[in-house]
Amino acid sequence: MSIFSRWLGKLRFGVFSENDLKREQVKTENEPTGENIPRHVAIIMDGNGRWAKARGLPRIAGHHNGMKTVKRITKAADRVGVKVLTLYAFSTENWKRPKAEVEFLMKLPQEFLSLELDELVENNVQVRMMGNRELLPDHTLAAVEEAVRKTKDNTGLILNFALNYGSRIEMVDAAKELARQAAAGIIQPDAIEEADFERLLLSSGLPDPDLLIRTSGELRLSNFMLWQLAYSEFWFTDVYWPEFSEQHLFDAIREYQRRARRYGGL
Ligand code: IPE
Ligand code: IPE
Ligand code: MG
């Protein structure tokens, strides 16, 4: 829907506010356009806990607010033409956190999808999950699988949740599978190519991320897509995830558009 028709709708129903006007103006000013919109944007959504702490709130309030950012950023990414949005929601190392926090985090996919799945379906978004399914509680997995099933034929934005995801175990599992195939005589070890390994990764079928964003000021990958990020452009911000806005995403994309990707060439 164009901005114009959204405004028209709001005018018609009398809910048009001055704030809307300001927001729409900001959006159009800073929205990236052009050919080289990153096809795949991956985000390490970090800083929920610190966002909450700074406000005297429990950490889970940060996670809850972070969920609203997921909705905002999914829509914004879709609007500017991103094809795949991968969101790091829970790492294989996050099980180390206090039980109550882990339990809360494991309820979020359900809550998010119960609120948003209809709209995701309507907007032609295809939901995917990348991570180890076995350790997830049944209720978490059921919610995710319902979303995957209901959106599997959608042809719009791919919204890929990295949930119970760890890059090292992903690669070890791929190596095990290649070793099994070699032991069974299905492949020759000397004939293994990068593409054979890549096909066994959880991201198989998706292009590598063009742009990686991490919020909250941390400058590390925390076991996220180590193989796939080999030639991605990185963009960091001190902003905590609950406060990450469309404008931050657009700033990141616009900076990406100014970068020269050389892949080792000239
Ligand atoms: C990111 O926020 C969400 C997850 C890792 C699940 P954090 O919970 O890591 O927030 P900080 O980094 O402690 O502020
Ligand atoms: C990375 O954030 C994982 C997710 C955002 C899901 P962490 O907060 O777990 O990373 P570290 O512990 O600071 O490296
Ligand atoms: Mg963190």
Side-chain angles (χ1 to χ4, degrees), residues 44-46 88-91 94 97 214 218 220 222:
I44 302 176
M45 311 185 285
D46 199 12
Y88 202 8
F90 192 90
S91 77
N94 286 147
R97 294 188 178 197
R214 182 168 188 155
E218 305 298 354
R220 56 177 170 263
S222 304

Side-chain angles (χ1 to χ4, degrees), residues 45-51 59 63 88-91 94 97 101 105 216 218 240-241:
M45 311 185 285
D46 199 12
N48 291 348
R50 278 164 287 164
W51 179 89
R59 291 178 55 84
H63 297 315
Y88 202 8
F90 192 90
S91 77
N94 286 147
R97 294 188 178 197
E101 181 169 343
L105 287 167
S216 89
E218 305 298 354
Y240 295 142
W241 178 249

Side-chain angles (χ1 to χ4, degrees), residues 156-174:
L157 176 80
I158 293 174
L159 177 58
N160 182 34
F161 287 103
L163 189 60
N164 193 20
Y165 174 85
S167 185
R168 287 187 168 178
I169 192 68
E170 174 190 37
M171 290 196 276
V172 167
D173 285 344

